[in-house]
Amino acid sequence: MSRPAPANASRRASALAARIASRAASGAVRAVLVLVGLFWLMPTVGLLISSLRSPSDIASDGWWQVFTAPAQLTTENYRSLLSDGAITDSLLATVLITVPATLLVVVIGAFAGYAFAWLDFPGRDWWFLLVVGLLVVPVQVALVPVSKLFGAVGIFETTLGVVLFHTAFGLPFAIFLLRNFFAEIPRELLEAARLDGAGEIRLFARVVLSLGGPALASLGIFQFLWVWNDMLVALIFADAQSPPITVALQQQVRQFGNNVDVLAPGAFVSMVIPLLVFFAFQRQFVSGVMAGAVK
């Protein structure tokens, strides 16, 4: 009758070993993820530190030397940046392009996505297939014909032209994404709203948009990042006198290859603004991505 004691002790020892192994494995995974995250952030950290060093210090040694000589850090580069009219004007031009292009894509895409998901009209499925087909059309194919069209109507090398181009090429993805998201809304919920007297506009504003908030936030973040970081379209269609920040920085490199005191802080500011937008809507973005993955 005294035999079960060793068996119980063996089971407890096995359970303890399993818990230790699980925690060790979890700790190892976390350590690896931390190392990967630090490695991924290293270029950003290097750019930030370089933007806080003088041109002579940048030319003499690497940015990691600041850890042994923290006196190198200075904000003089950012004062030079704010005094550079080309960079500040380019930041304003980027905002004037990115914000309208993002809002137009989200608003028009939401209306079109709802129409394709819940409204019956002739050729709806064929029109949606056409929208899906436009997803594979590369931007480079449209550069020459759209340039001629914009030149004919007088909006070539204008902010309006860049906004319209980004809106046109952002809408297929927006419609595809939002249509699939809106189609997953329970039909009973929409029918109940209609029975309560809600029209299509009120139904769209009160029910569909409230449920589709995460998808709209995800789309807005994607569109904002695409437009803000674009250089090809801006290089061709934007006004050469007030180009977006990506083109302005490229011109600085081409004209003044050694003015790192302007390029480094300008590049960091250009990068940090999209990051702030992403972190501001991070919760909605994750909700939208997870909802799309589950559905």
Side-chain angles (χ1 to χ4, degrees):
M1 297 299 294
S2 60
R3 293 279 182 172
N8 292 335
S10 177
R11 284 195 295 270
R12 287 196 297 269
S14 298
L16 178 62
R19 286 196 298 270
I20 294 175
S22 175
R23 292 181 180 179
S26 177
V29 170
R30 291 180 181 177
V32 170
L33 292 177
V34 169
L35 290 176
V36 171
L38 292 176
F39 183 78
W40 181 77
L41 289 174
M42 189 176 297
T44 304
V45 174
L47 180 61
L48 173 61
I49 295 176
S50 297
S51 69
L52 294 171
R53 302 176 73 208
S54 65
S56 58
D57 291 332
I58 294 175
S60 62
D61 49 34
W63 59 266
W64 52 88
Q65 298 297 328
V66 76
F67 295 108
T68 58
Q72 294 180 356
L73 297 178
T74 177
T75 59
E76 184 63 31
N77 292 343
Y78 285 92
R79 285 194 288 268
S80 300
L81 177 70
L82 295 178
S83 64
D84 190 323
I87 297 296
T88 54
D89 291 345
S90 66
L91 284 172
L92 178 60
T94 307
V95 172
L96 294 177
I97 291 172
T98 305
V99 174
T102 301
L103 292 178
L104 285 173
V105 166
V106 172
V107 172
I108 299 175
F111 278 109
Y114 174 74
F116 280 116
W118 293 108
L119 299 182
D120 292 326
F121 55 89
R124 183 185 67 175
D125 295 336
W126 290 105
W127 283 110
F128 184 69
L129 288 177
L130 177 61
V131 171
V132 173
L134 292 175
L135 288 171
V136 301
V137 177
V139 175
Q140 293 81 356
V141 173
L143 293 178
V144 174
V146 174
S147 298
K148 293 181 179 180
L149 175 62
F150 284 1
V153 298
I155 59 174
F156 186 69
E157 291 191 345
T158 63
T159 300
L160 177 61
V162 183
V163 170
L164 291 179
F165 192 96
H166 281 300
T167 302
F169 273 86
L171 278 176
F173 176 75
I175 296 172
F176 175 77
L177 175 69
L178 295 180
R179 182 266 179 190
N180 291 340
F181 191 92
F182 291 160
E184 297 296 331
I185 297 176
R187 181 181 294 273
E188 294 78 8
L189 183 62
L190 301 180
E191 292 177 350
R194 289 192 178 97
L195 289 176
D196 289 338
E200 293 298 334
I201 299 297
R202 186 177 180 183
L203 178 64
F204 173 76
R206 296 290 183 87
V207 179
V208 176
L209 289 186
S210 61
L211 294 176
L216 296 174
S218 301
L219 173 62
I221 291 175
F222 277 125
Q223 181 69 10
F224 186 93
L225 295 178
W226 288 335
V227 179
W228 183 277
N229 294 320
D230 168 74
M231 189 176 74
L232 176 62
V233 176
L235 191 63
I236 297 175
F237 292 96
D239 187 359
Q241 303 302 320
S242 57
I245 185 63
T246 52
V247 178
L249 292 176
Q250 186 267 344
Q251 291 174 348
Q252 292 278 339
V253 173
R254 183 180 59 191
Q255 296 176 4
F256 312 104
N258 59 349
N259 60 341
V260 188
D261 57 325
V262 174
L263 290 175
F268 184 78
V269 170
S270 174
M271 178 186 63
V272 77
I273 292 177
L275 286 177
L276 293 176
V277 172
F278 174 79
F279 286 120
F281 297 96
Q282 181 182 13
R283 181 174 300 178
Q284 292 85 350
F285 176 78
V286 174
S287 300
V289 171
M290 293 301 295
V294 174
K295 292 174 183 178

